[in-house]
Each structure stands twice: as C-alpha cells, then as structure tokens.
Amino acid sequence: MKTFVALALPLAWLASSHALAQQDHPATEMMAPAQVPMSEEAYAESLRDPSQRPPEQDVIRRFRQAFPDQGKPRIAVFWNREFPTRVSDWYSHHRGSLNAKGQLSVTGKDAREEKGRATLTMEQESRGGLRPSDRNAIALGLQGGLISAFKQGGATVIDQAMAQRITDNALEDGTFERASPDQLRLQMRALSQHADFVLELVVGSEFDRDGLYQVRVLSVKDASVVAVFNTDGKPPGSEDQHAWVVTDGGFEKRDRPQPMSTTGKEIALHTMAQMSQ
C-alpha cells in the first residue's frame, strides 16, 4: 500500500505538468535593441517637419484661388528681423514727482482757513529708432527668388522704406509731427496703407547646425496669425550636391551650396502653400 502511494504521487505531478505545458503563456519581454549612433546631420534631419508642400503649379493655382477678389495680395517682408511689439520710438527710463503743500490761516472778522497743495511730475524719456536695413545681411539672390515666386502667385512684395516715404510725404498737410516723426507709428501707418500681410523671415538661432528659416505671416487687416512654420528652403526630393576638386593631396569632396535664389523661391512657395490652407 505504501509503495502504491509513493508511485502515484510522481504520476499525478507529471500529469499536471503536462497540462500546464499545453496552456498559452505571454511572450517574455525582450530587451530593446541598441540604437545606432546618429551623426549631427542625421539628428537634425530627424527633427525636421516631415510635411512637404504640394507641387509648384498646384501651389500657385491654389494661392490664386485663395485670393480671387483681392487682386494682388501686398506682402511686406521683414528680412531677418521680427515685427516690433513697441508702438512708439519713445520709452521712459524713470519717473519722479515733486510735491508742495501749504496752509494759510486768517483771524479776525473774516476768519477762514485755506489749504493748498501742488504736485509736479517729471518723466525722462529716450528714443530708440528703427533698426536700419542692411542689404548685406540677406543675399540679393534670396530676395530675388522670393519676389519672383510671389509674382507668379499674383502677389506683390512691397518695399517698406519706400512705403514709409510715400506715407510721410502725404502727411505734409500738417497732420503729422514734421520736426521729429515717430518712426514706429509711421511704419505701422505705412503698412496699413500699402500692405495686406507682413512676412517675418528670420534665421533660426541654431541655423549653423540645422539650417532652418523661421517664417511667420501676419494679417495687417485683423492682426491674425496666418501661418507659422520652419523650412530649410530646399525643394522636395532635392539632395545635397557635391563636387570633386583636384588638390595637391588628391581629389577632395566639397559641398556645392544651393543657389540663394532657389532657397528664396522655395520659401515663397512654402509660404503660399501655408496661406492657401
């Protein structure tokens, strides 16, 4: 009897083990595979916006359809500078006040008491004019490519300096302070009369590393933000060009930069695509 029991226990254990082995079990978690180290160029590329603009002719057609009755949208471009938030050239450094207090008492038949107080406030202001334009800061090729692309879309790029001169000259009737005009107010008045949109084209803070331009389009009519995006100014599907140069040490591979006119054209096409959405 004892021998039978001793033999039955192993058989029961084997049967239960076989039943457990037939049941499904969740897969054992595997360790994540090691990532391949990335170069600075590959890392910068991974941060770019993967969205691409439609084909060039589609962009121009949609842009013209988006502004059918406005004729030619007038665009003022801020080359490598942001639209200022200040509304006046003048700003105050510090402010002070001087108070004086007096009292007068009269006795006798016309007894009365009078008190008086006066306050004098003085404020010191300084003036900071507009940042002068620097044609060397932005290549003329970039401007040429951007302007020509906008013309294809039916838009007009205005020159801010000329718009301000025209506006200032029209105020010779005495309604404007001729001795010392407020440049920021004059700028806004000129934009409201000669532009429909303001385009900020600024080189990003990490431009040397990622090569991205920051673009913002603002409506002069209602102050709305029409578009905000980053772009490297390269057409979709384009690849970096290289050339082999003969040197004393043999052939040397060098980059062939994209023409600035092509970059300006691509920025304009990307802008029109964003404005037409």
Side-chain angles (χ1 to χ4, degrees):
M1 190 65 176
K2 294 181 179 179
T3 303
F4 177 78
V5 174
L7 291 175
L9 287 175
L11 291 174
W13 180 80
L14 289 175
S16 63
S17 300
H18 180 70
L20 291 173
Q22 292 180 343
Q23 297 179 2
D24 293 335
H25 296 279
T28 304
E29 289 190 16
M30 303 296 292
M31 296 182 61
Q35 294 186 356
V36 179
M38 302 176 66
S39 63
E40 287 289 347
E41 292 77 9
Y43 176 73
E45 185 66 26
S46 67
L47 300 179
R48 297 184 191 276
D49 187 353
S51 62
Q52 293 185 344
R53 64 165 176 80
E56 178 177 339
Q57 295 303 319
D58 290 345
V59 171
I60 295 176
R61 176 178 54 81
R62 294 178 186 178
F63 186 79
R64 286 182 175 272
Q65 292 176 350
F67 304 95
D69 300 328
Q70 297 185 26
K72 297 182 178 181
R74 302 168 299 174
I75 302 175
V77 182
F78 279 65
W79 301 100
N80 203 27
R81 61 191 178 98
E82 297 178 348
F83 189 66
T85 57
R86 287 172 46 201
V87 298
S88 174
D89 299 344
W90 295 94
Y91 57 94
S92 59
H93 281 288
H94 45 75
R95 192 172 185 175
S97 61
L98 176 63
N99 296 325
K101 184 177 181 181
Q103 182 175 346
L104 174 64
S105 298
V106 179
T107 59
K109 182 179 180 180
D110 299 326
R112 67 182 186 278
E113 183 176 356
E114 297 181 359
K115 296 181 180 180
R117 184 174 182 178
T119 301
L120 175 63
T121 302
M122 296 178 295
E123 183 175 359
Q124 179 182 357
E125 292 185 330
S126 297
R127 183 173 185 175
L130 293 176
R131 170 182 169 183
S133 61
D134 186 358
R135 293 189 178 275
N136 295 325
I138 298 295
L140 293 179
L142 178 66
Q143 299 184 30
L146 185 140
I147 293 172
S148 62
F150 271 125
K151 283 185 176 180
Q152 293 181 14
T156 301
V157 178
I158 70 167
D159 183 80
Q160 294 181 62
M162 181 58 68
Q164 288 184 208
R165 286 179 176 272
I166 294 174
T167 303
D168 179 70
N169 189 64
L171 296 171
E172 291 286 352
D173 57 357
T175 59
F176 199 64
E177 177 58 47
R178 305 300 311 153
S180 182
D182 193 314
Q183 296 298 312
L184 286 173
R185 294 186 183 276
L186 176 62
Q187 179 190 68
M188 194 62 234
R189 187 162 185 167
L191 289 174
S192 65
Q193 295 178 359
H194 297 277
D196 302 306
F197 300 96
V198 170
L199 189 154
E200 289 180 351
L201 177 56
V202 182
V203 173
S205 58
E206 301 293 336
F207 186 80
D208 293 338
R209 181 177 65 85
D210 54 29
L212 293 178
Y213 296 90
Q214 299 174 356
V215 181
R216 213 166 57 121
V217 182
L218 311 174
S219 171
V220 177
K221 180 180 179 180
D222 57 11
S224 61
V225 180
V226 180
V228 177
F229 62 91
N230 293 332
T231 178
D232 57 4
K234 297 180 181 180
S238 63
E239 297 181 356
D240 294 335
Q241 301 294 321
H242 306 281
W244 292 96
V245 181
V246 180
T247 65
D248 296 338
F251 290 100
E252 182 177 327
K253 185 178 181 180
R254 297 181 183 176
D255 295 334
R256 300 182 65 179
Q258 176 179 270
M260 293 301 294
S261 58
T262 302
T263 301
K265 178 181 179 180
E266 178 59 26
I267 293 175
L269 291 172
H270 202 153
T271 301
M272 287 190 285
Q274 293 285 330
M275 295 177 65
S276 303
Q277 292 182 355

